[in-house]
Amino acid sequence: MQIKIELVPLDLLEADALIVPVFEGTKEERFGAGDLFDAGEVSGKSLELTLLHHPPGVAAKRVLLAGAGKSEKFQPAELRKVVGAAVRLLKSKSVKRIAFGIDPDYATADYVSAAVEGALLGDYETDRYKTGNDKKSVDEFLVGAWGTGPDESPAGVSRGRILGEAQNFTRSLVNEPGNLLTPAIMAEAARQMASAHQLECQVLDRAQMEELGMRALLGVAQGSAEPPAFIVIRYKPEKAESAAHLGLVGKGVTFDTGGISIKPADSMEKMKYDMAGGAAMLGAMQAIAQLKPAMAVSAFIPCVENMPGSRAQRPGDIVAAMSGKTIEVINTDAEGRLILADALTYARRQGCTHLVDAATLTGAVSVALGHLNVGLFANDEGMRDRVLRAAKAEGERMWTLPLEDDYKDYLKSAFADLANVGGRYGGAVTAAVFLKEFAEDTPWVHLDIAGTAWLDENKPFLAKGPTGVAVRTLTRLATDWKD
Ligand code: BES
Ligand code: ZN
Ligand code: ZN
């Protein structure tokens, strides 16, 4: 999809269809639409879509009235969905050239960016491996920016393209099946992205991980014929305005069978998305490379396949993590925390002053929060507030769950410093408490995205499958950073 910007009034935008948001409680009189409001056929409620042909007074061939809800509640997040839903409807009708004229009331870079992102996110499909020729996609998205500030629209279009592409890059990685995205292939994708965007990239192999003492990570990897890979990507600003160094740690389990504590067959195919945290970090790094924040940001992505091979680790095995702490592996399906333990230690030793991890860590987070909120845990209030602020600005819902010292009792082991599971209750919390032992005193936020990284049903504005959650928040966390 090509994205263009044009500085002409709305009525002169030439396109197959023009998207026009309409608000609840107001009446659109242009395009001959007044009658539709009078008849109650159009109300402006959120995501209501009404297509008009040969609208009078505009160059576009069609006008799509796109319900935008109450104008008081119209944030960039709402516009992202409105444009996404509009693009998906038009695309299904084989409309190729779509225009959107931003209203001067909403002509800030954040709204323009959200509109462009909505178009890119809505256009994305997960049909890469379908061979038919009935695939539909939009050729052109034209942003009409008449009456906006001189800098706001170009800046917004550029940011929107960067963020939309970064999220779709993440989604395309998450969508890859386990046979076609092994740890080695994920590392290769990281290398390619890094070289295309002038980022430093290093991939540690098994021997290097052994040298570093990453035995918690290696214990998970040993059940698979696919060797593990530890991706490290570094962004350094030309002129740092902050002494802080942000570390982004992402779970990269390219397929999670559960290992010897094997998962039931039902829905196991979905466990290809168990690298969504790692993929989110790759997407965020791609956006960060282009938006160039004034702080150092590094990504650490341990990639493994969790398989029950003949060398697989057993329940009861004890491993010494890189930090020196020993772990009794009660359940081999709680593998994410094991690989993240070593990744957090490595990130700290690489000089990161602040850490965020994202991981499809527990089924329990969906029990607690459903599929609407990311589960957020923090060992530091300042860091928590930074992430929550970024998430709010980006319309990504995150909800803080507790991380109190008392929960540590749940992880007691008779034979090692820690057990890797905490029993029946509070599963998302005990997983976070386990990670906290490895974040130690570094300000850190843990995002459990198991409930939000995958959509089971199509949304009007997003295809079912990977969502790309956390990419926007992590990017904004870096670009908005103030000491
Ligand atoms: N990858 C899973 C968590 C998961 C479950 C992600 C469902 C997405 C959807 C993780 O490795 C896991 O298996 N966790 C276990 C932990 C348990 C053994 C303590 C879980 O949630 O059941
Ligand atoms: Zn697991
Ligand atoms: Zn897992």
Side-chain angles (χ1 to χ4, degrees), residues 251 253 256-258 261 263 270-271 273-274 306 331-337 359-366 420-423 427-428 430-431 448-451 454:
K251 173 176 173 181
V253 175
D256 183 10
T257 65
S261 315
K263 288 181 179 295
K270 265 178 66 182
M271 280 301 116
Y273 92 92
D274 213 18
N306 189 22
N331 189 316
T332 65
D333 195 12
E335 84 297 341
R337 62 197 78 180
T360 47
L361 205 61
T362 66
V365 80
S366 306
N420 80 326
V421 297
T430 50
D448 193 335
I449 59 170
W454 188 270

Side-chain angles (χ1 to χ4, degrees), residues 169-170 173-174 186 190 231 233 248-253 273-285 299-303 340 358-360 449 471:
F169 170 52
T170 294
L173 289 171
V174 175
M186 189 159 167
I231 301 166
I233 299 180
L248 304 178
V249 179
K251 173 176 173 181
V253 175
Y273 92 92
D274 213 18
M275 32 59 75
M281 298 319 183
L282 291 176
M285 289 307 283
F300 303 91
I301 306 165
C303 300
L340 291 171
T360 47
I449 59 170
V471 171

Side-chain angles (χ1 to χ4, degrees), residues 173 176 178-191 226 229 254:
L173 289 171
E176 289 292 295
N179 62 329
L180 301 178
L181 193 94
T182 60
I185 298 172
M186 189 159 167
E188 187 48 39
R191 274 206 193 91
E226 295 294 340
T254 59

Side-chain angles (χ1 to χ4, degrees), residues 7 40 50 64 69 76 116 160 173 202 210 241 249 274 281-282 341 446:
L7 289 168
T50 312
L64 181 61
V116 172
L173 289 171
Q202 185 190 1
E210 262 158 21
E241 277 165 24
V249 179
D274 213 18
M281 298 319 183
L282 291 176
H446 159 56

Side-chain angles (χ1 to χ4, degrees), residues 84-100:
V87 162
R88 288 186 71 72
L89 176 83
L90 292 168
K91 182 168 80 139
S92 75
K93 300 183 186 296
S94 302
V95 173
K96 295 292 179 196
R97 294 179 65 228
I98 301 176
F100 168 72

Side-chain angles (χ1 to χ4, degrees), residues 184-388:
I185 298 172
M186 189 159 167
E188 187 48 39
R191 274 206 193 91
Q192 273 182 21
M193 182 282 285
S195 90
H197 297 282
Q198 292 81 48
L199 291 166
E200 217 182 294
C201 179
Q202 185 190 1
V203 178
L204 307 179
D205 63 16
R206 196 195 305 261
Q208 289 166 300
M209 291 185 247
E210 262 158 21
E211 191 67 27
L212 288 161
M214 295 180 166
R215 306 259 274 281
L217 190 167
L218 289 167
V220 176
Q222 76 192 28
S224 171
E226 295 294 340
F230 193 114
I231 301 166
V232 183
I233 299 180
R234 294 189 179 86
Y235 163 80
K236 291 196 184 77
E238 259 166 34
K239 217 172 132 266
E241 277 165 24
S242 167
H245 177 181
L246 179 63
L248 304 178
V249 179
K251 173 176 173 181
V253 175
T254 59
F255 195 81
D256 183 10
T257 65
I260 295 298
S261 315
I262 200 160
K263 288 181 179 295
D266 201 30
S267 298
M268 201 204 273
E269 75 282 357
K270 265 178 66 182
M271 280 301 116
K272 68 175 185 177
Y273 92 92
D274 213 18
M275 32 59 75
M281 298 319 183
L282 291 176
M285 289 307 283
Q286 175 175 305
I288 284 167
Q290 298 169 81
L291 294 169
K292 303 193 191 322
M295 77 183 307
V297 187
S298 303
F300 303 91
I301 306 165
C303 300
V304 299
E305 187 181 50
N306 189 22
M307 292 285 268
S310 61
R311 304 290 306 272
Q313 71 181 344
R314 296 142 285 252
D317 281 6
I318 293 175
V319 292
M322 183 180 174
S323 78
K325 288 195 170 121
T326 55
I327 304 164
E328 185 185 8
V329 180
I330 301 287
N331 189 316
T332 65
D333 195 12
E335 84 297 341
R337 62 197 78 180
L338 295 171
I339 68 171
L340 291 171
D342 284 340
L344 289 167
T345 301
Y346 186 74
R348 295 183 70 235
R349 296 203 187 157
Q350 289 287 304
C352 291
T353 58
H354 295 75
L355 294 170
V356 183
D357 79 72
T360 47
L361 205 61
T362 66
V365 80
S366 306
V367 176
L369 297 174
H371 301 299
L372 295 179
N373 271 281
V374 171
L376 183 150
F377 302 83
N379 66 354
D380 177 270
E381 286 181 13
M383 190 61 185
R384 178 197 65 196
D385 291 345
R386 284 177 187 277
V387 175
L388 284 174

